[in-house]
Amino acid sequence: MEFDFEKYQAQVGGQLMLLCDTTKKNEYSRMVCRNLNMQFARSAFLVPLPLKWHLSRKYAESQIQNMNVNESVSIYSSLGLQEEAIACLLFLKDYVKAESLIRTQLQNNPTPMLYSMLGDATGNVSYYEHAFRISNGTYARPVFELGDRFAKQNNYTMALRCYRTALRIDKSNPSRWFDYGKICQAAGNNASAITAYRRCIAMEPEHLKAYTNLGVLQALIGNEREAVQTLKESLKYLETNPRMWENLILVSFKKRLYKDTIQGLLGAAINCGENFILNLAIPQRIVNEMKNNTRDGNGQLCQQYYRSLGHLFKEVAHLQENSTIFWNIYIEYLEANYRGPPDTQLLELALEKRYVSLLRGADYTQNMTDFSETLHSLAKLSECYINSGVYEKQLRTLELVKDFEESTIDKFGNTEIYEGVMMLQDRLRKLHLVTSDSE
């Protein structure tokens, strides 16, 4: 079970806050808390602040992470951290309370931040302009907010102008570079968007959305190979994120870069497990191109990926137990071995899995199409067992054919397609596995 440090820290913080409150009761408690103050602050938080005040603030921060924002508002207010309390109210979209608290604070401390927050609470852009003005052009937040307002109105010219002004003041926020990239992309300025996304990634290498937008944009403008490299780079930091693997797979597959496609599929299967859903159309097309001995987007013969595709099938097979489509593709893959006949044991296993998946999922006792598919699968499995020369497997074939006949003869016994069952019985009779009594 994974240890949740943030939750633990919040619980410990709450308990120590209660312990600190006991200092009003007796001298022993005051002595304990003084000792805790020194040790806990030194070892856990490394700040020379009063224990209760510091723990309260950390506790409020942890409650935000746990989405218990209302409690954080109360704690921040009690600590005199009004700007933090206002930020929480804005997050909760409680604009009435936020505006009231902001105006109270403005009476004593008219700061650019408070005026910028007042713009958030009221929607009045003049407060952003005033915040920027009283900061003497040194406070970027209100200009960013203005840019966001213009972007929502699809006024990208003004949005870009605001963002460029703000970024000259504050270049250190990766999220703002990401937002700037989105606005540039929406305005059709792809080169600037790519630069902005790269700036964001340089400051925050694990920024999922920046990598995604950059890779997708590169692919959209025809730079699929650059997109593949971008997405592969992202996986150094985001290897457990299924979405990043899916982006790599789709971009490389579209360009028929099958080496990268298979690596992406295998990486997703290994690192994401059940959180990754395999799109079976992708290995199906690669297998088809192997069978046709065609070349991929890099000019390489697709047959050279036979072994790596086999690793992929092996890795995901346990998640595809009941997928007839998967086993069909895997059987085609085994039969496409350019080095010679397919591996007999693997082919036999795949044929067994396919037949079992059909028995579980197909309505073969009532539906003609399902009956036909299941019969074909039984015939292929029976052929494999018979050709093995192993008597036990041949007997197993007899059991399978009998069971299939008993469950389908009432519905399909008089149809032409049922001749397939009779042919299997004839084949077994020649092997002296079927007698007149057993029939």
Side-chain angles (χ1 to χ4, degrees):
M1 184 176 182
E2 187 177 351
F3 182 69
D4 190 339
F5 178 76
E6 294 293 342
K7 184 177 180 181
Y8 170 77
Q9 187 183 59
Q11 291 173 343
V12 171
Q15 291 168 0
L16 286 174
M17 284 167 60
L18 292 174
L19 181 59
C20 290
D21 284 336
T22 65
T23 58
K24 298 177 182 178
K25 296 182 180 179
N26 56 59
E27 181 63 29
Y28 176 72
S29 297
R30 286 195 292 273
M31 181 181 68
V32 170
C33 288
R34 279 198 299 272
N35 188 43
L36 279 171
N37 187 3
M38 294 174 62
Q39 293 186 26
F40 197 71
R42 194 179 297 127
S43 62
F45 298 114
L46 303 177
V47 290
L49 295 175
L51 178 62
K52 183 178 178 182
W53 188 93
H54 181 68
L55 286 174
S56 297
R57 182 171 186 173
K58 295 298 292 185
Y59 182 69
E61 291 172 0
S62 71
Q63 292 309 297
I64 293 174
Q65 295 173 359
N66 294 332
M67 300 306 293
N68 190 5
V69 184
N70 280 311
E71 186 169 354
S72 297
V73 173
S74 300
I75 296 172
Y76 282 136
S77 297
S78 68
L79 297 176
L81 299 172
Q82 302 303 337
E83 290 180 350
E84 285 83 349
I86 293 166
C88 289
L89 290 170
L90 291 172
F91 175 82
L92 293 170
K93 297 184 179 181
D94 192 343
Y95 299 125
V96 174
K97 287 185 180 179
E99 181 182 358
S100 175
L101 185 54
I102 292 168
R103 293 191 183 279
T104 300
Q105 294 302 306
L106 282 172
Q107 294 174 6
N108 302 316
N109 187 26
T111 64
M113 177 181 282
L114 286 172
Y115 273 108
S116 184
M117 287 179 161
L118 189 57
D120 297 340
T122 63
N124 188 337
V125 297
S126 66
Y127 291 121
Y128 295 132
E129 296 166 350
H130 184 68
F132 186 61
R133 190 162 50 249
I134 66 173
S135 75
N136 296 320
T138 61
Y139 186 47
R141 183 185 186 276
V143 191
F144 281 126
E145 297 298 333
L146 277 172
D148 290 338
R149 300 266 174 170
F150 284 124
K152 289 178 181 178
Q153 298 167 7
N154 297 329
N155 187 345
Y156 299 120
T157 300
M158 289 300 298
L160 289 172
R161 185 179 300 175
C162 290
Y163 259 79
R164 286 165 184 158
T165 299
L167 286 169
R168 282 194 290 270
I169 301 167
D170 180 8
K171 299 181 176 68
S172 63
N173 190 329
S175 295
R176 292 302 188 180
W177 282 105
F178 173 72
D179 292 338
Y180 177 56
K182 288 198 301 181
I183 295 171
C184 289
Q185 186 174 348
N189 191 342
N190 293 328
S192 295
I194 288 172
T195 300
Y197 291 142
R198 283 177 172 159
R199 288 289 294 269
C200 172
I201 291 167
M203 288 184 277
E204 189 178 333
E206 297 182 16
H207 201 294
L208 167 64
K209 292 182 179 180
Y211 270 120
T212 300
N213 284 22
L214 176 58
V216 170
L217 178 56
Q218 289 171 325
L220 286 174
I221 62 178
N223 295 337
E224 285 92 349
R225 295 179 191 277
E226 289 185 17
V228 168
Q229 292 305 311
T230 294
L231 295 169
K232 287 170 75 172
E233 180 71 22
S234 73
L235 291 166
K236 293 179 181 178
Y237 310 98
L238 301 161
E239 66 177 10
T240 59
N241 190 299
R243 183 176 176 184
M244 298 311 299
W245 288 105
E246 289 167 5
N247 290 334
L248 172 62
I249 293 162
L250 292 175
V251 171
S252 58
F253 182 65
K254 180 181 178 182
K255 195 66 177 177
R256 299 179 63 250
L257 305 175
Y258 292 147
K259 180 179 179 180
D260 294 315
T261 304
I262 295 171
Q263 287 178 349
L265 290 167
L266 188 57
I270 292 172
N271 291 289
C272 303
E274 295 182 3
N275 292 324
F276 172 70
I277 300 175
L278 176 63
N279 181 352
L280 293 173
I282 296 175
Q284 177 70 79
R285 192 169 93 178
I286 298 174
V287 169
N288 289 342
E289 297 211 28
M290 280 182 178
K291 291 162 62 177
N292 296 328
N293 202 27
T294 56
R295 295 182 182 272
D296 71 354
N298 280 326
Q300 302 295 318
L301 285 171
C302 293
Q303 280 284 359
Q304 78 173 39
Y305 305 125
Y306 186 87
R307 181 171 295 180
S308 57
L309 191 58
H311 292 320
L312 170 66
F313 284 127
K314 182 179 179 181
E315 187 66 36
V316 302
H318 70 287
L319 299 174
Q320 303 289 335
E321 284 285 334
N322 297 320
S323 173
T324 303
I325 296 174
F326 172 81
W327 296 112
N328 282 335
I329 298 169
Y330 186 46
I331 291 166
E332 288 184 48
Y333 158 78
L334 292 171
E335 294 174 341
N337 188 355
Y338 67 102
R339 295 181 177 179
D343 184 301
T344 304
Q345 289 185 334
L346 290 179
L347 180 60
E348 184 179 294
L349 176 63
L351 289 169
E352 290 171 354
K353 295 288 188 180
R354 178 176 68 176
Y355 185 62
V356 171
S357 71
L358 284 166
L359 293 182
R360 289 175 177 170
D363 189 15
Y364 69 97
T365 62
Q366 300 295 323
N367 182 279
M368 176 65 78
T369 301
D370 289 347
F371 169 82
S372 178
E373 184 180 5
T374 308
L375 175 59
H376 172 74
S377 177
L378 175 59
K380 293 281 289 185
L381 177 58
S382 299
E383 181 182 0
C384 186
Y385 279 161
I386 291 170
N387 292 338
S388 72
V390 178
Y391 184 68
E392 289 77 9
K393 292 182 180 179
Q394 292 175 345
L395 282 178
R396 175 62 178 155
T397 304
L398 175 61
E399 294 173 3
L400 293 175
V401 173
K402 281 184 175 180
D403 290 343
F404 186 78
E405 179 187 15
E406 289 174 0
S407 60
T408 59
I409 191 169
D410 290 341
K411 181 71 175 180
F412 300 109
N414 296 324
T415 62
E416 292 183 5
I417 197 171
Y418 205 77
E419 291 180 4
V421 178
M422 309 306 296
M423 292 174 64
L424 280 174
Q425 289 180 337
D426 287 341
R427 182 84 183 273
L428 294 170
R429 188 179 293 107
K430 291 177 182 178
L431 293 172
H432 306 290
L433 293 172
V434 175
T435 65
S436 57
D437 292 338
S438 66
E439 293 177 4

